[in-house]
Structures are given as structure tokens and as C-alpha cells.
Amino acid sequence: MDQHADDLLVGRDEELAHLLRAVDPKSADRALLLVGEAGLGKSALLDRLACRVTADGARVLRAEGSASEARLPFAALHRLLRPVSAEVNALPERQRAALRDAFGAGAGPPDLMLVGLAVLTLLSTLGERNSVVVILDDAHWFDRSSLDALAFAAARLAGEPVTMLLSTRDGGHLPGFGRRTPTATLTLAPLDATAADRLLELQPMTPTGRTRARILDEAGGNPLALTELTRAATTMPDALPPAGPLPLPPGDRLEQVFAARLHALPAATGEVLLLLAAMDGVDAAITAPGALPDAEDDVWSSAERAGLIRRVGRQIRFRHPMARSAVYHAASSDARRAAHRTLADALRHEPDRRSWHLAAACAGPDAAVSAELELTADRARRRGGHAAAAMALERAAHLAPERADEARLLVGAAATAVLTGDLPWVEELTARARARTDDASLLAAAAVSAGRLAVLTARHSVVFPRLADRADDLTGRHPEAALDLLGSAAVVRFYSGEDAHRIRVQQILHRIPTRDVDLWSRVWVRTVTDPFEGRAELVGALAGLEAEAQGRPERLAVLGIMSWLLDETPRAVRAFDEAADRWAAQGPLPEGLGGAVAWAYVERGRWGRAREACARSTAVASAAGLDHAVACAAAVDATVLALQGDTAAARGRARDALDLIDPLESRSVAVYARRALGAAAAADGAYEAAYDQLRAVFAPDGAPVHYHASCPALADLAAVAVRSGRRAEACAIVERAARALGENASPRLRALLSRARGLLAAAEDAEPHFRAALADPDRAYWPFEHAQAQLDFAEWLRRRRRIAEARPLLTEALETFRRLGARPWTERARSESRAAGVGVPHAAPDALAELSPQQRQIVGLAARGLTNRAIGERLFLSPRTVGSHLYRSFPKLGITARAQLRDLVEGTGEGG
């Protein structure tokens, strides 16, 4: 709201001081949520703050939420950035194009992550000249797409001279601004008795006696209620709400006050006020003077005197959203519909705004308007506005005269709402569709939509039976939909690790008729559910599927996941590499088992690429509120950090993963996090603690806690068991796993089992096992695991005084560890090499060890020649943040120029 002479800020000194501290560039808080009920003065506080910081030289960007604009994708972001269009045009091309696409001026759908990155880069660039304060008033009315982009930026403002302030109603939830976005909160309380009394004293006509006492009692410390009840009591005594035994809520009380002022207004004024109430600020700018009289017209005078509107230059605005609400709801339904028809006529060149006004003008079902809204949904979807598209389809369904069309549109709304991450909404839309049709095809599509989102939540025990039961119901009538649902159920089976889920999936799969067109789906279900049973057949199927997937990124992603599950890691990485250029265009949610991308890169020795995949997955999942997907990425990230020797950071990321899931619901993430904690402890030489963590990935009886995630830990378990005196227990676990896997073990797992047996065997019996672990030339495809086996065997050979045989193994293992940046293992290999008489150059102090994990990641990319902007786009950081990390890193590295990075990084093995 604009500052006005009669807006008095009383009793808010402490809150204003809090906000001023928050916007200080030195403050740790980069985002702050101002929360309070209507009328408590949130906008007035933000007005005063804006005046203060502008006077101090800060740049203020501001946008206010609009109830009607909540249905238009990126509407709020467009308004926020309009004053800085020149700076928008100076953004990197890809980011500029993403914003153009988001605002409907581009050629295709926007990359939603690039939209968020563009906002971050823009704010960072503005902050290079002055500190920046972004004010988002009434943010609960922002469209979801804008909130997602702003939340993305807010989560990455650390170190930037940018503060984001958002105001919202009590209890209002802002998508994206949850625990993954560090947001401080300032809650406005009602004024105390002293401040309320002072505010009354400052009114033009101060109430006294019983009237004053009643106003104080009715207002309950709400500043707007105090001022408006005073205005009503002193200018229109009959306009006060009637006293009663039960006080009205502040909103109802104030709406009564504003509504009472309408009775004395001329009819013409009432008509234009209703038009103003039926539109929003942007509609007013587009339609005026076509639909409304000029601001100078006398028709507005009586409304201004009544305290309903204010005129600021050529703009006419309600003094408060409650005044708008009072005017709108005081009118008859016929009058409201007429106002919306008038606005729809005035907005004939704005089809999306027009369609919503046409919908509001409908007294009942209307096929033409329903069709208009369907087109609006299509336009919103092309711009990445999935929430807006789903809302339009939901409204179109409400207006559809035919039940079949209503059900079809509700199913479409559910499918689109999947991409918002809002599972309750998807389930509600799906349930409404089921209640309106018996069409089995539509019902199957609705179930599939709900199932695709359900797999990304952490409610595995709740979600699995729903998916399995629905798939079972559809096996005969709609086998394709049944397979789709079963594929989702299989993903839940992977996350849960529950063996009963495997049995149920396999039983249903056997009942689905086999068709050639279902090969992809059947291989997917079998592979995800149990990658060991019939492994040879599944691996054989991959070759044909790989040829069919060429040029189709969505198929390549599925192929990569299946290949990873089957330990066909080289094929998985090839598929993910080929899909990478188009990966960002697959939608705002990660695919089921999206963590497979990062794991494949970890296993292939491309650790930098793995961490980049984690960064993207975290960004996407955080924006959608999908904590389980965030946890998956955190577990992979923790593993890489542990292997690189960043043990404190690794433990922090592993704890993040465990905090976000129930380990009994999501055994996969729990096992990966425990493996990371075990690797961190082993890197620190805390072998007993490492054993305890790795032992926890197997049940008390030695069975794997998770059928796929536990077994790769067998060799590491054996290594720390030997060093902690737990050899016998570990030996029993390894042999149990070997028996269970049998001939279905992949070559990779057979090598890991052999390494484990070599470590646990009596000294005289170990050699055949070590040789078996290194026999397969393809083992080099898993370079870290291969180097571990080489080092273990070399140590065994040296102890047998077979130095000549040990030396080449040590040389190769050391080079691998250096290239990967596995510092603890590099040091161990150096020590063993020196003991074997291998000429190892004296290790220079590891300057990179002093850097944070993110700084090392940035330094590694900079050493490969990437610019700050290119690094920012890889890691979803602003160029300023990248530059800041490099600036702080150079002194620690003992260098002064970027050109020196390549030699330094190559010398420490961090280049990959």
C-alpha cells in the first residue's frame, strides 16, 4: 500500500528496528517473513522501511500480491522486475531467454531453474552498485510460479547485499519458503493498550467516553480497526457494527465498517467502485480509461471522502484490501457478474485475464467459457505455470455442462498439478474426477497422475498399497495404465526396500497381459523391483532399448536408471551424458529414482559431475517441497565429501538426509546416509565408529537392510572390521550376502565380494580373493573401488615381502586416488608406497584442504576454464557468489591469478 498522510505508524518502533537490522548487508538473514493478521500494519511498516532505506541509497524492488493474479503464471515476478528491464536485458543469454519464455514473450517453455537463477543473477548484479531490498507485500496472493523463482533466489542470497522481505497473513504458507529456504520470521502482534490509546489521540477527531472504550474493545489492538472504527464513529455513528455478546473477528468487523459506508454513496460511485473491486491493479492499468473513469472524475470524490479509496496521481486504489472485499461482497451476485462481463469486454486483447473474468460472470455451466479456460491452461502450461494451468482446468471443469467433459478436465488438472508437488491437491482432483465418471480410461489416467507424484513423497507405507491396489484393478481392462502404476509402485518399493512390496509387484506383473509395446515398462518394473532375479535377461534387453532411446532424453533417463540398477554403470553414464542437454526441460520435478544420475557419476569416478547433479536435484526438489528427493541428493553429496576427506561436511549432509526421512519408511536413503557416515569415520581413522555405521546397513541377522543399497558396502565393512577387531561378524555377513546373490551377482558385486573375502581371510588364504577382485578388466569402470582393491592387495604383497609385485599396483592406485581427489586414500597410498620403496615425490601441503567443499568445487570448475557465470549456472549460484568464493580461496591457495588454478588443481588431483 502507498504511504498516505493518515497512515500512522504507532507502537512499531521495535518492529521497524528489527526490519532495519534485517536489511543491513551485514545481517545473517537474507530473507524475512513478516506475518500478521489483516490490518496490523504490515504494509505500513514496509512503506516506512522502504522510505528509510531508499534515503540511505538502497535500491528497492517491490511488488504486491493480487488475488486475481494468483492464477496467472509469473505475473508477480513480471511486475517486480518491470522497473529493471534494462538490467534484465543484460543478463546472460540463457537466463534472459528463460525470463522471456516465463513472461510469454519467448518461443517455448521456460527452464524453471534458469528462471530462478536469472532472478538470483539479477539481484546480485543490482547489489554490485547498491544494497538491494526486495519487498513482496501480500505474498500469499503471489502466483506459485513467481514464488518458486523467488524462493530459489532467496535460498542462495548468502553473501549477497540483498534482502528479501515478504509479508503474509497469519497461518499463511508460502510455497518454497519452508525449512529448505533460510527465512527468519517477524510476527506482528496487536498494539498494546498504551500504543492503541496513543493512536486514537492522533486521529483527526478523537473519540471519547463510552465510544472510545467501545472502539478500544472492538479493535483489539488492530491499528486499521482503531482508525476505521474511529472514522465510522465520528463521521457516521450508525456505521459502527452492532455490539454483541460475542465479538466479531477483526476481518468481519472491518468489512462491516467499510460496507456500511456504501449506503450513502451515489449510485454511479457504487457502480465504478464495484468495477474497481472486480479487477486488480494490473487490470486497472490495462483497462483504464476504457472501463473506469479517470482519477480526476468527480465520481470518485464521495468514495474518497468515505475512506474507501485514495487517489495517487492517475491511480485509484482501495485504502485497504478489506475495503475492496467489502465493496465486492456487498454487491448482489447479478451486479458482480455484470461487472466481470464489463471487464471481460475491456480485456479482449488479454485472453487469459479475460477468460477468468468471463468465468466469474457465469451464473452456471458454460461450455464456451470452459473452453476459453482450457486454452488459458494450455498457455500457462507452455510457460511453465503448472499451478496456474491446473487452476484454470479445475475452473473449466466446474463450468463444463457435460459430466464427461468435467471429468476429463479434472483429470487434466490432476496431471498438471502433479508438477506442483502438491499431493493433497492432486488427490483431491483425482477423487473428484472419480466421483463424476465411470470412464475406465479417464479413471486410469487420474490414478496414474496421482501415482507419479506419490512416488516422490516419503509416505511409502501409505502410498504403496494405493498404487498396487489400483494397478491390480486395471490389469485386465487397461494393462498400459496398470503397468504405469506398477512402475510407480516399483519406485516406492526401491525407496522403502520392503520385501513384501517386491512380492506384490511381481504378483501383479504376472497378471498383466504381455504385449510388445510394453517392453520398456515391463523391463523397468522388473529392474527396479529386483535387479538380481533374471539379471542376464534384463541386461540383454538393455541393448535393444538403448538403440530405441537415441535422441529421446526421457527414454535415455529411464535407460540410465535401469543400467545403474543393474551395475551397468558405463552404459548408465553414457545415457545420462546424452540426455544432459535436454535434462532441464523435463519439468520441475525430478524423475523417480533421479538420484541414480548422481550415483552413476560417483561410481564412474566423475565426482564433480555427481555434485553438480546433486545441486540441481536439491534445487528442483526444494522448490517443489519434496523433502525425500532433497534427502536422496544429500546422501550422495555426503558420500562424495566423505571420500574426498571433508568429513565434517559429509557428516552434516548425511544428517540432513536422515533428518528429512523416516529410516523405517525409506531404507534406501537411510542406508546411503549410513554408508556416507561410515566412509567419513574411516577417513578419520575412527574404525570402530565406521564399523558401527556400516554394520547398521545390515540387519541383526546379517541380511541387507536394503536389497540394492546395502551390498556395495560389503568390502568397506570388511575393511573397517579388520581394523576394529570384528572380523568374524563381518565374515558371516559377507558370506550370507554371497549365498543370497549367487549367480545373479553383477561382475561389480562379485569383485567387491572378492575384495571383502581377501581382507577377511587368513593371511595365507587371501591372495586368490584379491586376484579375483582385480581380474576383470572392466573393473576399471569403477575406478575408486578398483584402486581400493589394488591398494589392499599391494599392502598384502608388501607384508609378504613381494615388493616388486606391489609397486605397480601402488603406483596405479595412487594416481587414481590423486585424480579423484580422494585425499585420505591418497595419503594412505603415499605412505604404503614409501614403505615399498616407490619413489613418491614429497607431497606438498594440500592447499585445497583449507577450502570449503563448495569452494573446492568452484575452484575445480574454474581450473577447467569455466567463467563465473558458467560456474553459477552449473551450481545454481550467482556470479557474484562464485567470484566471492574464488576471491577468498586464492590467498588460501597461495596464488594471485585465475590462470594459476589449472596447474594447482591438476597437481592435487582435483581436476575431475
Side-chain angles (χ1 to χ4, degrees):
M1 292 171 57
D2 297 308
Q3 187 68 28
H4 197 261
D6 58 0
D7 280 337
L8 298 170
L9 197 61
V10 174
R12 296 300 190 198
D13 293 346
E14 185 177 334
E15 290 87 347
L16 181 60
H18 188 130
L19 291 177
L20 287 169
R21 289 194 298 272
V23 300
D24 187 322
K26 298 177 183 177
S27 169
D29 295 327
R30 297 292 83 198
L32 184 142
L33 195 61
L34 183 62
V35 179
E37 68 180 32
L40 282 181
K42 299 185 297 294
S43 296
L45 256 177
L46 294 173
D47 287 339
R48 186 66 56 87
L49 175 84
C51 291
R52 291 278 291 272
V53 299
T54 300
D56 291 339
R59 179 70 177 268
V60 175
L61 293 180
R62 186 166 186 172
E64 296 175 18
S66 162
S68 58
E69 280 204 340
R71 302 173 296 228
L72 302 173
F74 295 107
L77 186 64
H78 189 234
R79 278 188 285 119
L80 181 73
L81 301 186
R82 192 180 299 148
V84 289
S85 56
E87 288 85 350
V88 169
N89 290 333
L91 286 170
E93 172 56 32
R94 292 179 67 222
Q95 297 177 35
R96 186 168 68 248
L99 281 180
R100 281 200 306 266
D101 292 337
F103 297 154
D111 181 325
L112 301 181
M113 290 299 100
L114 275 180
V115 172
L117 187 60
V119 175
L120 176 63
T121 303
L122 177 66
L123 295 178
S124 176
T125 302
L126 291 172
E128 292 175 359
R129 296 190 288 272
N130 308 91
S131 62
V132 178
V133 178
V134 181
I135 296 177
L136 310 172
D137 204 1
D138 286 332
H140 48 277
W141 283 334
F142 275 33
D143 62 276
R144 172 65 185 271
S145 302
S146 294
L147 277 176
D148 284 345
L150 291 163
F152 178 97
R156 293 159 178 79
L157 289 178
E160 303 283 354
V162 181
T163 308
M164 196 175 290
L165 303 178
L166 308 94
S167 76
T168 187
R169 297 273 177 88
D170 270 336
H173 168 68
L174 292 181
F177 289 88
R179 61 178 171 181
R180 304 305 302 174
T181 301
T183 310
T185 301
L186 174 60
T187 301
L188 282 191
L191 296 179
D192 61 27
T194 301
D197 219 41
R198 182 171 167 237
L199 183 57
L200 288 189
E201 289 295 332
L202 293 172
Q203 298 307 304
M205 298 179 68
T206 304
T208 59
R210 283 181 296 177
T211 301
R212 183 188 187 94
R214 182 179 170 197
I215 289 171
L216 288 168
D217 182 58
E218 289 279 343
N222 185 296
L224 181 66
L226 286 163
T227 56
E228 296 303 332
L229 289 171
T230 298
R231 182 193 294 268
T234 55
T235 60
M236 296 173 286
D238 294 338
L240 271 178
L246 296 175
L248 291 168
D252 295 339
R253 191 180 304 133
L254 289 171
E255 283 203 20
Q256 281 191 12
V257 171
F258 287 123
R261 299 175 190 173
L262 297 172
H263 304 313
L265 298 180
T269 299
E271 290 172 5
V272 296
L273 276 176
L274 179 56
L275 280 174
L276 184 64
M279 65 174 65
D280 57 41
V282 179
D283 277 350
I286 293 170
T287 60
L292 293 175
D294 291 335
E296 294 79 13
D297 197 298
D298 286 343
V299 73
W300 299 110
S301 300
S302 56
E304 189 171 30
R305 287 193 298 273
L308 293 169
I309 64 158
R310 59 176 55 156
R311 291 186 275 190
V312 183
R314 300 181 56 151
Q315 285 191 329
I316 307 159
R317 307 189 67 180
F318 283 103
R319 289 192 66 251
H320 193 274
M322 283 189 177
R324 177 190 180 208
S325 179
V327 168
Y328 188 80
H329 292 292
S332 68
S333 56
D334 287 342
R336 291 199 296 266
R337 286 194 290 271
H340 284 292
R341 280 194 294 272
T342 299
L343 294 171
D345 289 341
L347 288 163
R348 53 187 173 275
H349 299 303
E350 292 284 333
D352 295 334
R353 296 180 187 279
R354 178 177 181 272
S355 68
W356 281 106
H357 283 295
L358 286 173
C362 290
D366 188 306
V369 176
S370 178
E372 290 278 348
L373 282 168
E374 195 169 0
L375 293 174
T376 290
D378 187 54
R379 286 188 289 269
R381 193 162 33 222
R382 289 201 301 268
R383 291 167 57 191
H386 304 291
M391 290 167 68
L393 288 170
E394 185 177 15
R395 181 66 172 146
H398 179 74
L399 294 175
E402 301 295 332
R403 286 176 67 88
D405 287 329
E406 184 182 7
R408 174 183 60 81
L409 290 165
L410 284 170
V411 170
T416 305
V418 164
L419 299 173
T420 70
D422 190 339
L423 181 58
W425 189 20
V426 173
E427 290 178 335
E428 176 197 340
L429 292 167
T430 301
R432 286 165 56 191
R434 283 199 297 266
R436 285 161 177 77
T437 184
D438 295 325
D439 186 317
S441 298
L442 274 178
L443 292 176
V448 167
S449 295
R452 285 174 180 161
L453 178 55
V455 302
L456 298 174
T457 73
R459 299 161 54 191
H460 305 315
S461 61
V462 174
V463 164
F464 181 84
R466 293 184 189 174
L467 293 170
D469 290 348
R470 196 73 190 115
D472 208 358
D473 290 343
L474 294 170
T475 52
R477 294 168 294 158
H478 292 280
E480 186 176 355
L483 265 177
D484 202 328
L485 281 165
L486 202 59
S488 295
V491 174
V492 177
R493 140 71 174 165
F494 178 88
Y495 287 138
S496 74
E498 180 63 57
D499 200 50
H501 292 173
R502 172 188 64 82
I503 295 169
R504 184 84 197 281
V505 169
Q506 291 174 338
Q507 288 172 341
I508 296 170
L509 184 63
H510 289 320
R511 288 199 291 273
I512 299 176
T514 301
R515 303 180 304 170
D516 291 342
V517 294
D518 294 334
L519 179 61
W520 271 94
S521 297
R522 298 187 79 90
V523 174
W524 170 265
V525 171
R526 289 180 58 193
T527 301
V528 175
T529 305
D530 187 347
F532 304 112
E533 183 180 343
R535 180 183 180 277
E537 179 188 351
L538 293 171
V539 170
L542 292 182
L545 297 179
E546 186 172 16
E548 185 185 336
Q550 297 308 305
R552 302 173 65 182
E554 69 286 350
R555 283 289 173 94
L556 285 166
V558 172
L559 175 73
I561 294 169
M562 291 190 295
S563 300
W564 170 72
L565 287 165
L566 291 164
D567 278 335
E568 294 291 304
T569 307
R571 177 181 273 130
V573 168
R574 284 198 307 272
F576 291 140
D577 280 346
E578 189 175 339
D581 291 341
R582 301 277 299 280
W583 190 263
Q586 298 308 305
L589 297 184
E591 298 286 339
L593 294 181
V597 182
W599 276 119
Y601 285 128
V602 170
E603 293 167 8
R604 193 69 181 89
R606 294 170 62 180
W607 293 355
R609 191 64 182 270
R611 296 202 67 206
E612 291 171 28
C614 289
R616 180 170 189 92
S617 182
T618 300
V620 172
S622 295
L626 296 173
D627 284 349
H628 189 266
V630 174
C632 291
V636 186
D637 214 23
T639 301
V640 176
L641 290 168
L643 298 180
Q644 291 178 328
D646 290 310
T647 56
R651 282 189 286 270
R653 293 294 280 146
R655 283 193 293 268
D656 287 343
L658 291 171
D659 287 346
L660 290 169
I661 55 105
D662 178 344
L664 297 179
E665 285 269 339
S666 187
R667 293 184 178 91
S668 60
V669 175
V671 165
Y672 289 133
R674 294 293 176 195
R675 283 172 52 185
L677 289 170
D684 287 338
Y687 296 114
E688 288 190 8
Y691 183 84
D692 289 341
Q693 293 292 349
L694 294 174
R695 178 64 181 84
V697 309
F698 297 91
D701 65 356
V705 168
H706 187 274
Y707 64 100
H708 187 268
S710 291
C711 288
L714 286 165
D716 291 333
L717 176 77
V720 295
V722 170
R723 289 169 171 80
S724 60
R726 315 286 278 277
R727 187 187 300 264
E729 184 181 32
C731 189
I733 293 172
V734 169
E735 293 308 318
R736 175 179 177 137
R739 288 192 300 273
L741 289 168
E743 295 301 313
N744 289 322
S746 67
R748 176 198 175 204
L749 283 180
R750 286 199 294 271
L752 288 172
L753 283 167
S754 294
R755 178 188 166 217
R757 283 168 162 161
L759 288 164
L760 295 169
E764 63 274 13
D765 299 327
E767 183 169 4
H769 299 301
F770 283 131
R771 291 198 179 281
L774 295 169
D776 189 342
D778 288 346
R779 288 295 296 137
Y781 289 134
W782 293 267
F784 180 71
E785 295 171 1
H786 187 60
Q788 285 179 302
Q790 288 176 315
L791 179 57
D792 289 335
F793 188 29
E795 288 177 337
W796 183 90
L797 288 169
R798 186 182 65 80
R799 292 192 196 100
R800 311 271 85 69
R801 302 186 183 277
R802 294 160 62 178
I803 305 298
E805 295 176 73
R807 285 172 178 167
L809 294 171
L810 288 169
T811 300
E812 189 175 340
L814 176 58
E815 177 54 32
T816 299
F817 292 140
R818 286 181 68 256
R819 177 172 54 82
L820 294 174
R823 283 188 299 280
W825 290 86
T826 300
E827 289 309 309
R828 183 177 151 196
R830 284 183 185 279
S831 176
E832 189 65 26
S833 296
R834 284 191 290 268
V838 177
V840 180
H842 181 70
D846 188 356
L848 293 179
E850 295 187 27
L851 304 184
S852 72
Q854 190 166 67
Q855 285 172 342
R856 262 204 319 281
Q857 197 174 9
I858 289 170
V859 163
L861 292 171
R864 285 155 54 186
L866 275 71
T867 65
N868 288 4
R869 283 183 170 178
I871 295 170
E873 289 194 0
R874 287 277 192 101
L875 303 181
F876 304 98
L877 302 170
S878 72
R880 178 190 177 92
T881 297
V882 172
S884 177
H885 278 302
L886 288 172
Y887 177 80
R888 292 197 297 272
S889 300
F890 279 18
K892 298 177 183 178
L893 298 174
I895 62 175
T896 57
R898 198 181 187 107
Q900 297 172 270
L901 283 174
R902 180 175 180 179
D903 290 341
L904 183 144
V905 168
E906 287 181 352
T908 55
E910 293 274 350

